[in-house]
Amino acid sequence: MKVCVVGIGYVGLVTAGCLAEAGNNVVCVDNDGRKIDGLKKGVIPIYEPGLGEMVQHNEKLKRLEFTTDLKYGVDNSLIIFLAVGTPPMADGSADISAILAVAGGIAEQMRDYRIVVTKSTVPVGTHKKVAELMKTKTDKPFDYVSNPEFLKEGSAVEDFMSPDRIIIGTEKQSVRETLKQLYSPFMRKGNRIIFMDAVSAEMTKYTANVMLATRISFMNEIAALCEKVGADVELVRQGIGSDSRIGRAFLFPGVGYGGSCFPKDIRALIHIGGQNGVEMGLAIAAEQANKASQDRFAKRICDYFGDRSRNVVLAVWGLAFKAKTDDVRESPAINCIKKLLERGIKIRAYDPEAAQTAGAVIGNKIEIVENGYDALDGADALVILTEWQEFRNPDFELIVKKLKKPIIFDGRNLYDLEVVKKAGIEYHSIGRPAVG
Ligand SMILES: NC(=O)c1ccc[n+]([C@@H]2O[C@H](COP(=O)([O-])OP(=O)(O)OC[C@H]3O[C@@H](n4cnc5c(N)ncnc54)[C@H](O)[C@@H]3O)[C@@H](O)[C@H]2O)c1
């Protein structure tokens, strides 16, 4: 099929690459000329496992094209995906100006029928706004579909290739059939396509993200309480996760959620609730609890060093908001580092993939090194802020040797208490008794 994807970020590039991999011809449109020039030369602008090879392969086969020219994309496709950003505004609502700008542009360029599909996370009711706007700009027929995306950064290609479900928000049967055909290569394991109306589809996306964020916040509050009462949150997690009504996923305590989705989507849902006279009390509490858990961890470190803070150098492992991505948007690691910097603490940090993205945000305030063990030399403690696989089984002897004193503050609970105890490390983690 002929497809266009507008907005070639984390969602758009993965969508385009996977659709091309399934044999479709895909035109990728973005208004960032540098990004498009790079992609034409095979430069992949983000880190996402498996994405680079797939994009380069399909570009070679001419199933993927890159352009800044929206008209070219509209001319050469039947289905046009919108995957542009919908960043948060000061009042918490999602900014849909890029969605409206692109939808308007598509309408102006359309010479015949098109299907416009929104993958971006957009406020409930956006489908109406987009359709109304497009009707003012074209008399050509079109259909609009809300098709929220559920991929996770770090496993985005895998998630797209084998999704838990696909939500198709349109009531028109012919459009449902067309999208069913487009998605059929990814549905071979019996994964489900769920058809619904556009409002319910828009609502489903926010509901999913806010529920996941709420689970994380709840576990972080439980972890804080475990610390006070002397319980081990890891045992509590296993104890409740084995209950089939609860399940094991999204119960890991840590330094709070971050990234480009949960924080923004929770605020957007609170805003949508407010607009409709429904107070989203749980969502508000989950957001507050998240801020509290981020603050709590930084405070613990600052309190530990007290008045000595100005003379303290900390090695930090992890800058990305989670493992297997270079994305630092609303990263709890960056938020924690900012709080440590406020107390005069110096930071020497390492991240396997996010050195560049973090450097752009905070590079003038911290030192970023290329090897995790280099960060340790003479530092007062090691602070772990992202759960990268390579941090899980480190050389503890070397850590002990390089640090001034063997102290670890672990915001991701990576280590077994017995293992660090044996290694002679003073170990502070989340919701578990301190060791050493
Ligand atoms: N990142 C995720 O894990 C994820 C998962 C599911 C849903 N989403 C949603 O998908 C949407 C995109 O997220 P993302 O993380 O891919 O964003 P992103 O910032 O990585 O990418 C957005 C892209 O859109 C481009 N763009 C902006 N305005 C444009 C315009 N007028 N014309 C053409 N291109 C334009 C930008 O240059 C950028 O390349 C958001 O609504 C987000 O909430 C994201």
Side-chain angles (χ1 to χ4, degrees), residues 6-12 29-32 35 83-86 98 101-102 119-121 149-153 205 260-261 264-265 327 329:
V6 188
I8 305 302
Y10 286 87
V11 168
V29 181
D30 201 287
N31 64 357
D32 180 341
K35 189 182 266 192
V84 293
T86 49
V102 174
K119 273 220 167 288
S120 304
T121 304
E149 181 52 59
F150 295 92
L151 61 76
K152 304 180 286 298
E153 286 176 27
K205 175 65 191 177
S260 67
C261 292
K264 127 176 124 58
D265 293 349
D327 198 344
R329 289 179 282 185

PDB file of all heavy atoms in Angstrom, residues 6-12 29-32 35 83-86 98 101-102 119-121 149-153 205 260-261 264-265 327 329, ligand 1:
ATOM      1  N   VAL A   6       3.797  11.611   8.559  1.00  0.00           N
ATOM      2  CA  VAL A   6       4.264  12.984   8.805  1.00  0.00           C
ATOM      3  C   VAL A   6       4.675  13.102  10.273  1.00  0.00           C
ATOM      4  O   VAL A   6       3.882  12.804  11.168  1.00  0.00           O
ATOM      5  CB  VAL A   6       3.160  14.023   8.486  1.00  0.00           C
ATOM      6  CG1 VAL A   6       3.746  15.441   8.571  1.00  0.00           C
ATOM      7  CG2 VAL A   6       2.549  13.775   7.120  1.00  0.00           C
ATOM      8  N   GLY A   7       5.923  13.548  10.495  1.00  0.00           N
ATOM      9  CA  GLY A   7       6.471  13.632  11.853  1.00  0.00           C
ATOM     10  C   GLY A   7       7.348  12.414  12.082  1.00  0.00           C
ATOM     11  O   GLY A   7       6.878  11.340  12.461  1.00  0.00           O
ATOM     12  N   ILE A   8       8.656  12.584  11.809  1.00  0.00           N
ATOM     13  CA  ILE A   8       9.552  11.421  11.827  1.00  0.00           C
ATOM     14  C   ILE A   8      10.371  11.419  13.115  1.00  0.00           C
ATOM     15  O   ILE A   8      11.587  11.590  13.101  1.00  0.00           O
ATOM     16  CB  ILE A   8      10.425  11.410  10.541  1.00  0.00           C
ATOM     17  CG1 ILE A   8       9.503  11.453   9.321  1.00  0.00           C
ATOM     18  CG2 ILE A   8      11.307  10.170  10.447  1.00  0.00           C
ATOM     19  CD1 ILE A   8       8.486  10.293   9.252  1.00  0.00           C
ATOM     20  N   GLY A   9       9.661  11.280  14.234  1.00  0.00           N
ATOM     21  CA  GLY A   9      10.328  11.164  15.531  1.00  0.00           C
ATOM     22  C   GLY A   9      10.321   9.715  15.980  1.00  0.00           C
ATOM     23  O   GLY A   9      10.361   8.800  15.155  1.00  0.00           O
ATOM     24  N   TYR A  10      10.241   9.506  17.284  1.00  0.00           N
ATOM     25  CA  TYR A  10      10.265   8.144  17.839  1.00  0.00           C
ATOM     26  C   TYR A  10       9.113   7.307  17.262  1.00  0.00           C
ATOM     27  O   TYR A  10       9.304   6.169  16.854  1.00  0.00           O
ATOM     28  CB  TYR A  10      10.186   8.188  19.370  1.00  0.00           C
ATOM     29  CG  TYR A  10      11.495   8.644  19.986  1.00  0.00           C
ATOM     30  CD1 TYR A  10      11.781   9.991  20.165  1.00  0.00           C
ATOM     31  CD2 TYR A  10      12.454   7.718  20.356  1.00  0.00           C
ATOM     32  CE1 TYR A  10      12.982  10.412  20.714  1.00  0.00           C
ATOM     33  CE2 TYR A  10      13.665   8.127  20.911  1.00  0.00           C
ATOM     34  CZ  TYR A  10      13.923   9.474  21.077  1.00  0.00           C
ATOM     35  OH  TYR A  10      15.124   9.874  21.601  1.00  0.00           O
ATOM     36  N   VAL A  11       7.914   7.879  17.229  1.00  0.00           N
ATOM     37  CA  VAL A  11       6.754   7.116  16.736  1.00  0.00           C
ATOM     38  C   VAL A  11       6.765   7.040  15.211  1.00  0.00           C
ATOM     39  O   VAL A  11       6.584   5.973  14.616  1.00  0.00           O
ATOM     40  CB  VAL A  11       5.438   7.756  17.252  1.00  0.00           C
ATOM     41  CG1 VAL A  11       4.230   7.178  16.524  1.00  0.00           C
ATOM     42  CG2 VAL A  11       5.304   7.526  18.749  1.00  0.00           C
ATOM     43  N   GLY A  12       6.996   8.189  14.559  1.00  0.00           N
ATOM     44  CA  GLY A  12       6.892   8.240  13.100  1.00  0.00           C
ATOM     45  C   GLY A  12       7.922   7.377  12.392  1.00  0.00           C
ATOM     46  O   GLY A  12       7.602   6.651  11.439  1.00  0.00           O
ATOM     47  N   VAL A  29       7.677  12.368   5.925  1.00  0.00           N
ATOM     48  CA  VAL A  29       7.733  13.833   5.821  1.00  0.00           C
ATOM     49  C   VAL A  29       8.005  14.434   7.194  1.00  0.00           C
ATOM     50  O   VAL A  29       7.354  14.059   8.176  1.00  0.00           O
ATOM     51  CB  VAL A  29       6.389  14.397   5.294  1.00  0.00           C
ATOM     52  CG1 VAL A  29       6.454  15.917   5.172  1.00  0.00           C
ATOM     53  CG2 VAL A  29       6.001  13.753   3.976  1.00  0.00           C
ATOM     54  N   ASP A  30       8.957  15.341   7.248  1.00  0.00           N
ATOM     55  CA  ASP A  30       9.206  16.073   8.494  1.00  0.00           C
ATOM     56  C   ASP A  30       9.620  17.491   8.117  1.00  0.00           C
ATOM     57  O   ASP A  30      10.233  17.701   7.064  1.00  0.00           O
ATOM     58  CB  ASP A  30      10.314  15.397   9.312  1.00  0.00           C
ATOM     59  CG  ASP A  30      10.256  15.781  10.792  1.00  0.00           C
ATOM     60  OD1 ASP A  30      10.607  16.933  11.133  1.00  0.00           O
ATOM     61  OD2 ASP A  30       9.843  14.925  11.611  1.00  0.00           O
ATOM     62  N   ASN A  31       9.277  18.457   8.969  1.00  0.00           N
ATOM     63  CA  ASN A  31       9.672  19.832   8.638  1.00  0.00           C
ATOM     64  C   ASN A  31      11.066  20.181   9.175  1.00  0.00           C
ATOM     65  O   ASN A  31      11.507  21.316   9.046  1.00  0.00           O
ATOM     66  CB  ASN A  31       8.616  20.847   9.103  1.00  0.00           C
ATOM     67  CG  ASN A  31       8.450  20.864  10.613  1.00  0.00           C
ATOM     68  OD1 ASN A  31       9.084  20.072  11.317  1.00  0.00           O
ATOM     69  ND2 ASN A  31       7.595  21.745  11.112  1.00  0.00           N
ATOM     70  N   ASP A  32      11.727  19.208   9.777  1.00  0.00           N
ATOM     71  CA  ASP A  32      13.097  19.414  10.239  1.00  0.00           C
ATOM     72  C   ASP A  32      14.052  18.976   9.108  1.00  0.00           C
ATOM     73  O   ASP A  32      14.335  17.785   8.927  1.00  0.00           O
ATOM     74  CB  ASP A  32      13.310  18.582  11.516  1.00  0.00           C
ATOM     75  CG  ASP A  32      14.716  18.733  12.091  1.00  0.00           C
ATOM     76  OD1 ASP A  32      15.629  19.163  11.363  1.00  0.00           O
ATOM     77  OD2 ASP A  32      14.899  18.400  13.276  1.00  0.00           O
ATOM     78  N   LYS A  35      17.137  16.829   9.927  1.00  0.00           N
ATOM     79  CA  LYS A  35      16.813  15.432  10.207  1.00  0.00           C
ATOM     80  C   LYS A  35      16.598  14.664   8.902  1.00  0.00           C
ATOM     81  O   LYS A  35      17.117  13.562   8.714  1.00  0.00           O
ATOM     82  CB  LYS A  35      15.535  15.388  11.060  1.00  0.00           C
ATOM     83  CG  LYS A  35      15.211  14.025  11.599  1.00  0.00           C
ATOM     84  CD  LYS A  35      13.905  14.035  12.397  1.00  0.00           C
ATOM     85  CE  LYS A  35      14.111  14.233  13.865  1.00  0.00           C
ATOM     86  NZ  LYS A  35      12.936  13.975  14.685  1.00  0.00           N
ATOM     87  N   ALA A  83       2.139  11.785  12.980  1.00  0.00           N
ATOM     88  CA  ALA A  83       2.906  11.351  14.163  1.00  0.00           C
ATOM     89  C   ALA A  83       3.745  12.511  14.691  1.00  0.00           C
ATOM     90  O   ALA A  83       4.826  12.322  15.232  1.00  0.00           O
ATOM     91  CB  ALA A  83       3.790  10.160  13.807  1.00  0.00           C
ATOM     92  N   VAL A  84       3.220  13.713  14.519  1.00  0.00           N
ATOM     93  CA  VAL A  84       3.954  14.903  15.005  1.00  0.00           C
ATOM     94  C   VAL A  84       3.792  15.000  16.522  1.00  0.00           C
ATOM     95  O   VAL A  84       2.921  14.355  17.113  1.00  0.00           O
ATOM     96  CB  VAL A  84       3.423  16.197  14.333  1.00  0.00           C
ATOM     97  CG1 VAL A  84       3.745  16.199  12.855  1.00  0.00           C
ATOM     98  CG2 VAL A  84       1.933  16.378  14.570  1.00  0.00           C
ATOM     99  N   GLY A  85       4.615  15.808  17.138  1.00  0.00           N
ATOM    100  CA  GLY A  85       4.579  15.939  18.590  1.00  0.00           C
ATOM    101  C   GLY A  85       3.342  16.696  19.063  1.00  0.00           C
ATOM    102  O   GLY A  85       2.772  17.525  18.328  1.00  0.00           O
ATOM    103  N   THR A  86       2.922  16.386  20.296  1.00  0.00           N
ATOM    104  CA  THR A  86       1.823  17.120  20.930  1.00  0.00           C
ATOM    105  C   THR A  86       2.286  17.509  22.336  1.00  0.00           C
ATOM    106  O   THR A  86       1.798  16.965  23.331  1.00  0.00           O
ATOM    107  CB  THR A  86       0.554  16.233  21.008  1.00  0.00           C
ATOM    108  OG1 THR A  86       0.912  14.943  21.557  1.00  0.00           O
ATOM    109  CG2 THR A  86      -0.074  16.030  19.649  1.00  0.00           C
ATOM    110  N   ALA A  98       0.656  21.469  15.811  1.00  0.00           N
ATOM    111  CA  ALA A  98       1.333  20.780  14.695  1.00  0.00           C
ATOM    112  C   ALA A  98       0.363  19.841  13.976  1.00  0.00           C
ATOM    113  O   ALA A  98       0.381  19.730  12.746  1.00  0.00           O
ATOM    114  CB  ALA A  98       2.546  19.994  15.224  1.00  0.00           C
ATOM    115  N   ALA A 101      -1.803  22.066  11.858  1.00  0.00           N
ATOM    116  CA  ALA A 101      -1.041  22.626  10.723  1.00  0.00           C
ATOM    117  C   ALA A 101      -0.869  21.565   9.633  1.00  0.00           C
ATOM    118  O   ALA A 101      -1.073  21.838   8.435  1.00  0.00           O
ATOM    119  CB  ALA A 101       0.330  23.115  11.203  1.00  0.00           C
ATOM    120  N   VAL A 102      -0.525  20.345  10.046  1.00  0.00           N
ATOM    121  CA  VAL A 102      -0.286  19.291   9.049  1.00  0.00           C
ATOM    122  C   VAL A 102      -1.610  18.872   8.397  1.00  0.00           C
ATOM    123  O   VAL A 102      -1.692  18.722   7.167  1.00  0.00           O
ATOM    124  CB  VAL A 102       0.413  18.070   9.697  1.00  0.00           C
ATOM    125  CG1 VAL A 102       0.514  16.929   8.704  1.00  0.00           C
ATOM    126  CG2 VAL A 102       1.803  18.458  10.195  1.00  0.00           C
ATOM    127  N   LYS A 119      -1.746   9.103  14.832  1.00  0.00           N
ATOM    128  CA  LYS A 119      -1.038   8.230  15.786  1.00  0.00           C
ATOM    129  C   LYS A 119      -0.610   9.028  17.007  1.00  0.00           C
ATOM    130  O   LYS A 119      -0.404   8.459  18.076  1.00  0.00           O
ATOM    131  CB  LYS A 119       0.237   7.673  15.116  1.00  0.00           C
ATOM    132  CG  LYS A 119      -0.002   6.427  14.344  1.00  0.00           C
ATOM    133  CD  LYS A 119       1.124   5.433  14.538  1.00  0.00           C
ATOM    134  CE  LYS A 119       0.701   4.092  14.022  1.00  0.00           C
ATOM    135  NZ  LYS A 119      -0.286   3.428  14.860  1.00  0.00           N
ATOM    136  N   SER A 120      -0.446  10.330  16.822  1.00  0.00           N
ATOM    137  CA  SER A 120      -0.056  11.170  17.960  1.00  0.00           C
ATOM    138  C   SER A 120      -1.118  11.045  19.050  1.00  0.00           C
ATOM    139  O   SER A 120      -2.284  10.771  18.761  1.00  0.00           O
ATOM    140  CB  SER A 120       0.022  12.636  17.538  1.00  0.00           C
ATOM    141  OG  SER A 120       0.905  12.779  16.462  1.00  0.00           O
ATOM    142  N   THR A 121      -0.694  11.287  20.289  1.00  0.00           N
ATOM    143  CA  THR A 121      -1.653  11.287  21.396  1.00  0.00           C
ATOM    144  C   THR A 121      -2.313  12.663  21.442  1.00  0.00           C
ATOM    145  O   THR A 121      -1.629  13.673  21.665  1.00  0.00           O
ATOM    146  CB  THR A 121      -0.917  11.007  22.726  1.00  0.00           C
ATOM    147  OG1 THR A 121      -0.222   9.767  22.575  1.00  0.00           O
ATOM    148  CG2 THR A 121      -1.891  10.913  23.882  1.00  0.00           C
ATOM    149  N   GLU A 149      -1.070   5.200  19.339  1.00  0.00           N
ATOM    150  CA  GLU A 149       0.089   4.298  19.315  1.00  0.00           C
ATOM    151  C   GLU A 149       0.470   3.914  20.750  1.00  0.00           C
ATOM    152  O   GLU A 149       0.499   4.758  21.625  1.00  0.00           O
ATOM    153  CB  GLU A 149       1.259   5.001  18.618  1.00  0.00           C
ATOM    154  CG  GLU A 149       2.507   4.174  18.513  1.00  0.00           C
ATOM    155  CD  GLU A 149       2.241   2.796  17.900  1.00  0.00           C
ATOM    156  OE1 GLU A 149       1.759   2.746  16.769  1.00  0.00           O
ATOM    157  OE2 GLU A 149       2.514   1.795  18.569  1.00  0.00           O
ATOM    158  N   PHE A 150       0.792   2.639  20.939  1.00  0.00           N
ATOM    159  CA  PHE A 150       1.119   2.153  22.286  1.00  0.00           C
ATOM    160  C   PHE A 150       2.557   1.653  22.390  1.00  0.00           C
ATOM    161  O   PHE A 150       2.913   1.022  23.380  1.00  0.00           O
ATOM    162  CB  PHE A 150       0.147   1.034  22.681  1.00  0.00           C
ATOM    163  CG  PHE A 150      -1.272   1.519  22.808  1.00  0.00           C
ATOM    164  CD1 PHE A 150      -2.134   1.460  21.726  1.00  0.00           C
ATOM    165  CD2 PHE A 150      -1.731   2.071  23.991  1.00  0.00           C
ATOM    166  CE1 PHE A 150      -3.436   1.924  21.824  1.00  0.00           C
ATOM    167  CE2 PHE A 150      -3.030   2.539  24.104  1.00  0.00           C
ATOM    168  CZ  PHE A 150      -3.889   2.463  23.013  1.00  0.00           C
ATOM    169  N   LEU A 151       3.377   1.882  21.357  1.00  0.00           N
ATOM    170  CA  LEU A 151       4.750   1.364  21.420  1.00  0.00           C
ATOM    171  C   LEU A 151       5.503   1.979  22.599  1.00  0.00           C
ATOM    172  O   LEU A 151       5.176   3.079  23.054  1.00  0.00           O
ATOM    173  CB  LEU A 151       5.492   1.630  20.107  1.00  0.00           C
ATOM    174  CG  LEU A 151       5.703   3.074  19.620  1.00  0.00           C
ATOM    175  CD1 LEU A 151       6.799   3.779  20.391  1.00  0.00           C
ATOM    176  CD2 LEU A 151       6.021   3.057  18.156  1.00  0.00           C
ATOM    177  N   LYS A 152       6.504   1.234  23.074  1.00  0.00           N
ATOM    178  CA  LYS A 152       7.325   1.728  24.184  1.00  0.00           C
ATOM    179  C   LYS A 152       8.722   2.020  23.657  1.00  0.00           C
ATOM    180  O   LYS A 152       9.293   1.174  22.948  1.00  0.00           O
ATOM    181  CB  LYS A 152       7.450   0.665  25.289  1.00  0.00           C
ATOM    182  CG  LYS A 152       6.132   0.177  25.839  1.00  0.00           C
ATOM    183  CD  LYS A 152       6.329  -0.865  26.936  1.00  0.00           C
ATOM    184  CE  LYS A 152       6.756  -2.225  26.435  1.00  0.00           C
ATOM    185  NZ  LYS A 152       5.825  -2.917  25.551  1.00  0.00           N
ATOM    186  N   GLU A 153       9.257   3.183  23.967  1.00  0.00           N
ATOM    187  CA  GLU A 153      10.640   3.446  23.570  1.00  0.00           C
ATOM    188  C   GLU A 153      11.529   2.385  24.210  1.00  0.00           C
ATOM    189  O   GLU A 153      11.305   1.980  25.346  1.00  0.00           O
ATOM    190  CB  GLU A 153      11.070   4.844  24.014  1.00  0.00           C
ATOM    191  CG  GLU A 153      10.445   5.916  23.152  1.00  0.00           C
ATOM    192  CD  GLU A 153      10.763   7.324  23.614  1.00  0.00           C
ATOM    193  OE1 GLU A 153      11.818   7.537  24.236  1.00  0.00           O
ATOM    194  OE2 GLU A 153       9.954   8.227  23.334  1.00  0.00           O
ATOM    195  N   LYS A 205      -6.227   5.837  24.807  1.00  0.00           N
ATOM    196  CA  LYS A 205      -4.787   6.115  24.928  1.00  0.00           C
ATOM    197  C   LYS A 205      -4.457   6.785  26.267  1.00  0.00           C
ATOM    198  O   LYS A 205      -3.542   6.383  26.977  1.00  0.00           O
ATOM    199  CB  LYS A 205      -4.342   7.007  23.755  1.00  0.00           C
ATOM    200  CG  LYS A 205      -2.908   7.463  23.833  1.00  0.00           C
ATOM    201  CD  LYS A 205      -1.910   6.319  23.727  1.00  0.00           C
ATOM    202  CE  LYS A 205      -0.524   6.790  24.088  1.00  0.00           C
ATOM    203  NZ  LYS A 205       0.460   5.728  24.075  1.00  0.00           N
ATOM    204  N   SER A 260       8.542  11.220  27.459  1.00  0.00           N
ATOM    205  CA  SER A 260       7.760  12.202  26.701  1.00  0.00           C
ATOM    206  C   SER A 260       6.267  11.915  26.788  1.00  0.00           C
ATOM    207  O   SER A 260       5.473  12.675  26.258  1.00  0.00           O
ATOM    208  CB  SER A 260       8.181  12.182  25.237  1.00  0.00           C
ATOM    209  OG  SER A 260       7.800  10.951  24.653  1.00  0.00           O
ATOM    210  N   CYS A 261       5.869  10.815  27.431  1.00  0.00           N
ATOM    211  CA  CYS A 261       4.439  10.459  27.396  1.00  0.00           C
ATOM    212  C   CYS A 261       3.739  10.566  28.751  1.00  0.00           C
ATOM    213  O   CYS A 261       2.822  11.367  28.898  1.00  0.00           O
ATOM    214  CB  CYS A 261       4.275   9.062  26.824  1.00  0.00           C
ATOM    215  SG  CYS A 261       4.709   8.996  25.079  1.00  0.00           S
ATOM    216  N   LYS A 264       3.262  14.089  30.376  1.00  0.00           N
ATOM    217  CA  LYS A 264       2.423  14.993  29.572  1.00  0.00           C
ATOM    218  C   LYS A 264       0.996  14.474  29.476  1.00  0.00           C
ATOM    219  O   LYS A 264       0.044  15.245  29.551  1.00  0.00           O
ATOM    220  CB  LYS A 264       3.089  15.173  28.206  1.00  0.00           C
ATOM    221  CG  LYS A 264       2.257  14.916  26.986  1.00  0.00           C
ATOM    222  CD  LYS A 264       3.014  15.213  25.721  1.00  0.00           C
ATOM    223  CE  LYS A 264       3.070  14.039  24.767  1.00  0.00           C
ATOM    224  NZ  LYS A 264       1.805  13.502  24.338  1.00  0.00           N
ATOM    225  N   ASP A 265       0.841  13.166  29.352  1.00  0.00           N
ATOM    226  CA  ASP A 265      -0.507  12.617  29.171  1.00  0.00           C
ATOM    227  C   ASP A 265      -1.330  12.690  30.454  1.00  0.00           C
ATOM    228  O   ASP A 265      -2.541  12.896  30.417  1.00  0.00           O
ATOM    229  CB  ASP A 265      -0.427  11.171  28.651  1.00  0.00           C
ATOM    230  CG  ASP A 265       0.151  11.119  27.236  1.00  0.00           C
ATOM    231  OD1 ASP A 265       0.276  12.199  26.617  1.00  0.00           O
ATOM    232  OD2 ASP A 265       0.472  10.029  26.753  1.00  0.00           O
ATOM    233  N   ASP A 327      16.335   8.957  24.893  1.00  0.00           N
ATOM    234  CA  ASP A 327      15.384  10.030  25.177  1.00  0.00           C
ATOM    235  C   ASP A 327      15.560  10.532  26.609  1.00  0.00           C
ATOM    236  O   ASP A 327      15.527   9.737  27.555  1.00  0.00           O
ATOM    237  CB  ASP A 327      13.960   9.487  24.976  1.00  0.00           C
ATOM    238  CG  ASP A 327      12.924  10.593  24.806  1.00  0.00           C
ATOM    239  OD1 ASP A 327      13.245  11.751  25.137  1.00  0.00           O
ATOM    240  OD2 ASP A 327      11.808  10.297  24.344  1.00  0.00           O
ATOM    241  N   ARG A 329      13.690  13.321  27.625  1.00  0.00           N
ATOM    242  CA  ARG A 329      12.578  14.223  27.906  1.00  0.00           C
ATOM    243  C   ARG A 329      11.957  13.861  29.265  1.00  0.00           C
ATOM    244  O   ARG A 329      11.622  12.728  29.513  1.00  0.00           O
ATOM    245  CB  ARG A 329      11.523  14.150  26.801  1.00  0.00           C
ATOM    246  CG  ARG A 329      12.006  14.785  25.498  1.00  0.00           C
ATOM    247  CD  ARG A 329      10.976  14.689  24.402  1.00  0.00           C
ATOM    248  NE  ARG A 329      10.935  13.366  23.801  1.00  0.00           N
ATOM    249  CZ  ARG A 329      10.178  13.044  22.738  1.00  0.00           C
ATOM    250  NH1 ARG A 329       9.403  13.961  22.176  1.00  0.00           N
ATOM    251  NH2 ARG A 329      10.201  11.832  22.227  1.00  0.00           N
TER     252      ARG A 329
HETATM  253  N1  LIG B   1       7.554   8.514  22.110  1.00  0.00           N
HETATM  254  C1  LIG B   1       6.711   7.566  22.483  1.00  0.00           C
HETATM  255  O1  LIG B   1       7.089   6.584  23.133  1.00  0.00           O
HETATM  256  C2  LIG B   1       5.258   7.649  22.106  1.00  0.00           C
HETATM  257  C3  LIG B   1       4.446   6.502  22.217  1.00  0.00           C
HETATM  258  C4  LIG B   1       3.121   6.597  21.864  1.00  0.00           C
HETATM  259  C5  LIG B   1       2.595   7.801  21.434  1.00  0.00           C
HETATM  260  N2  LIG B   1       3.402   8.893  21.349  1.00  0.00           N
HETATM  261  C6  LIG B   1       2.816  10.140  20.842  1.00  0.00           C
HETATM  262  O2  LIG B   1       3.210  10.275  19.479  1.00  0.00           O
HETATM  263  C7  LIG B   1       3.442  11.642  19.154  1.00  0.00           C
HETATM  264  C8  LIG B   1       4.852  11.832  18.632  1.00  0.00           C
HETATM  265  O3  LIG B   1       5.742  11.505  19.672  1.00  0.00           O
HETATM  266  P1  LIG B   1       7.312  11.345  19.404  1.00  0.00           P
HETATM  267  O4  LIG B   1       7.913  10.948  20.690  1.00  0.00           O
HETATM  268  O5  LIG B   1       7.509  10.517  18.200  1.00  0.00           O
HETATM  269  O6  LIG B   1       7.676  12.865  19.076  1.00  0.00           O
HETATM  270  P2  LIG B   1       9.053  13.426  18.468  1.00  0.00           P
HETATM  271  O7  LIG B   1       9.192  14.772  19.054  1.00  0.00           O
HETATM  272  O8  LIG B   1      10.129  12.415  18.617  1.00  0.00           O
HETATM  273  O9  LIG B   1       8.748  13.554  16.909  1.00  0.00           O
HETATM  274  C9  LIG B   1       7.852  14.497  16.357  1.00  0.00           C
HETATM  275  C10 LIG B   1       8.353  14.835  14.970  1.00  0.00           C
HETATM  276  O10 LIG B   1       7.367  15.666  14.341  1.00  0.00           O
HETATM  277  C11 LIG B   1       8.063  16.649  13.579  1.00  0.00           C
HETATM  278  N3  LIG B   1       7.156  17.767  13.327  1.00  0.00           N
HETATM  279  C12 LIG B   1       6.670  18.681  14.209  1.00  0.00           C
HETATM  280  N4  LIG B   1       5.863  19.551  13.593  1.00  0.00           N
HETATM  281  C13 LIG B   1       5.820  19.179  12.296  1.00  0.00           C
HETATM  282  C14 LIG B   1       5.148  19.687  11.152  1.00  0.00           C
HETATM  283  N5  LIG B   1       4.350  20.754  11.247  1.00  0.00           N
HETATM  284  N6  LIG B   1       5.341  19.061   9.967  1.00  0.00           N
HETATM  285  C15 LIG B   1       6.159  17.981   9.872  1.00  0.00           C
HETATM  286  N7  LIG B   1       6.817  17.459  10.928  1.00  0.00           N
HETATM  287  C16 LIG B   1       6.638  18.042  12.119  1.00  0.00           C
HETATM  288  C17 LIG B   1       9.269  17.008  14.429  1.00  0.00           C
HETATM  289  O11 LIG B   1      10.300  17.615  13.645  1.00  0.00           O
HETATM  290  C18 LIG B   1       9.677  15.617  14.955  1.00  0.00           C
HETATM  291  O12 LIG B   1      10.594  15.004  14.094  1.00  0.00           O
HETATM  292  C19 LIG B   1       3.126  12.420  20.430  1.00  0.00           C
HETATM  293  O13 LIG B   1       1.795  12.822  20.395  1.00  0.00           O
HETATM  294  C20 LIG B   1       3.328  11.392  21.522  1.00  0.00           C
HETATM  295  O14 LIG B   1       2.575  11.664  22.671  1.00  0.00           O
HETATM  296  C21 LIG B   1       4.721   8.835  21.657  1.00  0.00           C
END
